[in-house]
Amino acid sequence: MKITNPATGAVIADVAVDSTAAVRRKYAAARVGQAAWGRTPIRKRLATIAAFRERIVAMQETLARTLTEEVGKPIRQSRNELNGLLTRLDFFLAESLRSLREEKVFADAGQKLEERITHEPLGVVANISAWNYPYFVGSNVFVPALVAGNAVLYKPSEYASLTGLHIAEMLHEAGVPENVFVPVVGDGATGATLLRQPIDGVFFTGSYATGARIAAAAGKQMIKVQLELGGKDPIYVCDDVDIKAAVAGVADGAFYNTGQSCCSVERIYVHASIYDAFVAAFVTAVKGFRLGDPMDEATYIGAITRRAQLDVLRKQVADAKKKGARLLLGGEVVKAKGNWFAPTVFADVDHSMALMREESFGPIIGIQRVDDDDAAVALMNDTEYGLTAGVYTHDAKRARKILAQVRAGSVYWNCCDRVSPRLPWSGVGHSGIGLTLSTYGIQTFTRPKAWHLRGA
Ligand code: NAD
């Protein structure tokens, strides 16, 4: 499989894809590996994750550069991702023992009865991953899965294979056996082959369309399925905000990672009384985002990782224009080697437009005028997705009232495009099933076993 730098179009590597026979062999090896790993004391398993953390610190700049070359992410944002990874690892290192400890939930001396819960590993699990934040979305799964005693068959996205192979190498150097964390290299066909093995669970991060296929495949096997899928995440800006501060937050939320985040701001609703001022300030802010060589320290907008996405963006632009939206900035592919799309801002959009309904996953955004909070809530909920949603207002009570009505896994007050390891990361509707992160996102890699113990 040829690996192409999306910023230049140049082939930067050639990696071997796993054949069906290789996937079968890897599965069989992981089954053997898991039996021993599951019996390894949790403190020893945690020690390997601590050593993995040290490897990342030592390799940080090399890893950031590989990530930038492979996915076109601006180098500063690649470094940010690695720094964020360290914080997540710290969370897992601090919280896993507490989350996975055996619990005594009942004891009665008279009846000589005790009830206990243990958290058993699921067994051999598949981790099929996305390319947009390979360190984040990967580690949310494979770290707690390994700590909980599972073997992991890890299929990185075909657009982030080099990063996936770096991860495998570092985990192995850190002491995770090669038959316990097993990379599987290839595209969707390889992922489908992986799902045909008798695995015990599949943890997927990617698009809704692929997620639906994964769920169907896993349904037959009757295994645990977790799907972290896309979003069409809205922000509502109320009439009482500091416009400058709100614009800065929301523009960053929409364009960071070149808009290729599951929780990127994808729809903006602005109260009519500040609409014009907000739109003008927003366009000025986006004009300040520098597009260019992702290796350049000053670059904020990088390349579009998947070439096919350029067509999605072009179509959304054409559809919005045709339906009467006002194009204020960008709106076209940048003519250069590689895959580039100009930062694009539309005003006066509505929900008849694909731009406000379908995941854009690129540097493009629509702004819609709303008359009051009820109208904003109705529009925010008018979507098949439900990953995140946010509101900007000075009024805490108003924020709470609005966010309580919004159907989304995560809600934000005066912030957006934010993930915390301490909080569960989940979606509703087409945004997925299950969760990662937080104590629940550690326990999710286990099967609670019920112990009824009566003394003789
Ligand atoms: P994708 O669905 O194209 O691919 C994801 C993974 O699935 C890849 O590894 C791919 O090779 C594999 N795959 C494809 N077809 C398969 C099949 N039939 N069987 C098994 N595996 C198969 O998604 P992508 O382009 O890599 O990622 C972008 C999407 O991921 C966006 O929709 C984004 O919102 C979403 N995402 C969600 C989260 C979240 O936490 N909710 C995080 C990051 C990305």
Side-chain angles (χ1 to χ4, degrees):
M1 187 165 66
K2 297 214 178 325
I3 309 293
T4 305
N5 179 337
T8 62
V11 173
I12 51 170
D14 208 332
V15 295
V17 168
D18 281 306
S19 64
T20 300
V23 174
R24 283 204 194 109
R25 269 200 308 277
K26 287 186 168 185
Y27 163 77
R31 184 57 76 191
V32 172
Q34 195 278 324
W37 183 248
R39 287 193 301 269
T40 303
I42 184 167
R43 283 177 197 279
K44 266 188 135 172
R45 298 196 298 246
L46 278 168
T48 65
I49 300 302
F52 173 60
R53 189 190 188 287
E54 280 172 25
R55 294 300 304 141
I56 288 167
V57 171
M59 296 270 294
Q60 201 154 353
E61 191 55 24
T62 308
L63 301 176
R65 294 182 90 78
T66 301
L67 180 57
T68 288
E69 273 176 9
E70 175 169 50
V71 304
K73 192 189 291 268
I75 186 71
R76 294 175 85 106
Q77 298 178 18
S78 291
R79 290 193 197 114
N80 287 349
E81 183 174 343
L82 283 152
N83 284 327
L85 169 65
L86 297 179
T87 314
R88 286 194 193 183
L89 293 176
D90 289 340
F91 169 79
F92 289 127
L93 288 167
E95 284 303 310
S96 296
L97 278 177
R98 197 175 61 80
S99 299
L100 297 176
R101 71 171 172 225
E102 182 173 329
E103 296 163 62
K104 189 186 337 178
V105 292
F106 181 78
D108 184 314
Q111 294 183 64
K112 289 189 178 168
L113 183 66
E114 227 178 76
E115 295 173 356
R116 289 176 170 265
I117 301 171
T118 56
H119 297 281
E120 308 291 325
L122 296 170
V124 176
V125 299
N127 174 194
I128 299 181
S129 207
W131 48 264
N132 62 332
Y133 280 103
Y135 285 105
F136 280 166
V137 300
S139 65
N140 290 354
V141 172
F142 65 70
V143 171
L146 289 170
V147 171
N150 299 282
V152 179
L153 291 160
Y154 170 66
K155 199 199 84 59
S157 162
E158 57 273 39
Y159 295 97
S161 302
L162 300 180
T163 292
L165 291 170
H166 270 319
I167 288 172
E169 196 183 319
M170 289 185 296
L171 280 168
H172 296 154
E173 286 167 357
V176 178
E178 288 188 16
N179 60 357
V180 169
F181 184 83
V182 189
V184 174
V185 175
D187 61 11
T190 312
T193 304
L194 179 52
L195 288 182
R196 282 195 288 275
Q197 312 311 307
I199 51 177
D200 301 300
V202 54
F203 294 82
F204 172 77
T205 311
S207 62
Y208 164 73
T210 312
R213 279 199 282 277
I214 304 267
K220 288 191 197 131
Q221 297 205 40
M222 215 55 83
I223 54 173
K224 174 144 186 169
V225 186
Q226 209 166 274
L227 307 169
E228 304 218 341
L229 310 177
K232 191 71 198 166
D233 296 359
I235 287 292
Y236 169 40
V237 184
C238 295
D239 46 350
D240 62 350
V241 296
D242 169 349
I243 292 182
K244 210 172 147 207
V247 161
V250 178
D252 184 52
F255 289 91
Y256 190 82
N257 208 38
T258 315
Q260 300 176 112
S261 309
C262 51
C263 54
S264 283
V265 174
E266 290 240 345
R267 298 179 282 150
I268 304 174
Y269 304 100
V270 180
H271 195 283
S273 67
I274 58 156
Y275 182 79
D276 292 334
F278 181 92
V279 168
F282 192 87
V283 170
T284 305
V286 178
K287 277 185 183 156
F289 292 154
R290 174 132 162 221
L291 175 146
D293 177 2
M295 283 298 180
D296 188 329
E297 300 286 334
T299 294
Y300 179 83
I301 303 277
I304 302 297
T305 309
R306 292 173 59 250
R307 191 163 182 80
Q309 199 64 18
L310 294 176
D311 266 345
V312 173
L313 299 172
R314 260 198 220 105
K315 281 186 188 143
Q316 290 195 353
V317 167
D319 174 71
K321 273 186 182 166
K322 197 175 84 194
K323 291 176 177 157
R326 208 155 36 98
L327 178 63
L328 301 175
L329 201 63
E332 57 198 6
V333 167
V334 177
K335 288 192 185 70
K337 279 188 186 152
N339 319 325
W340 298 92
F341 204 87
T344 297
V345 180
F346 277 102
D348 304 350
V349 295
D350 65 42
H351 278 211
S352 71
M353 301 167 188
L355 175 62
M356 296 301 271
R357 305 207 70 87
E358 290 161 21
E359 191 177 44
S360 305
F361 226 59
I364 157 169
I365 190 80
I367 311 178
Q368 181 165 352
R369 182 194 306 262
V370 293
D371 287 329
D372 56 38
D373 296 0
D374 289 345
V377 168
L379 286 166
M380 289 164 98
N381 284 335
D382 181 26
T383 174
E384 285 164 327
Y385 291 103
L387 192 59
T388 82
V391 62
Y392 279 71
T393 171
H394 275 318
D395 183 341
K397 258 176 131 175
R398 185 173 175 186
R400 229 188 144 89
K401 188 174 169 208
I402 291 165
L403 295 177
Q405 299 172 75
V406 167
R407 189 171 164 268
S410 297
V411 292
Y412 303 122
W413 177 36
N414 292 338
C415 56
C416 55
D417 189 25
R418 178 175 195 277
V419 181
S420 161
R422 298 170 291 276
L423 294 172
W425 185 247
S426 69
V428 294
H430 285 192
S431 292
I433 300 171
L435 58 87
T436 50
L437 299 176
S438 80
T439 186
Y440 304 105
I442 297 172
Q443 292 178 347
T444 195
F445 297 97
T446 64
R447 184 170 49 79
K449 187 167 183 175
W451 298 72
H452 306 243
L453 305 171
R454 195 183 289 282

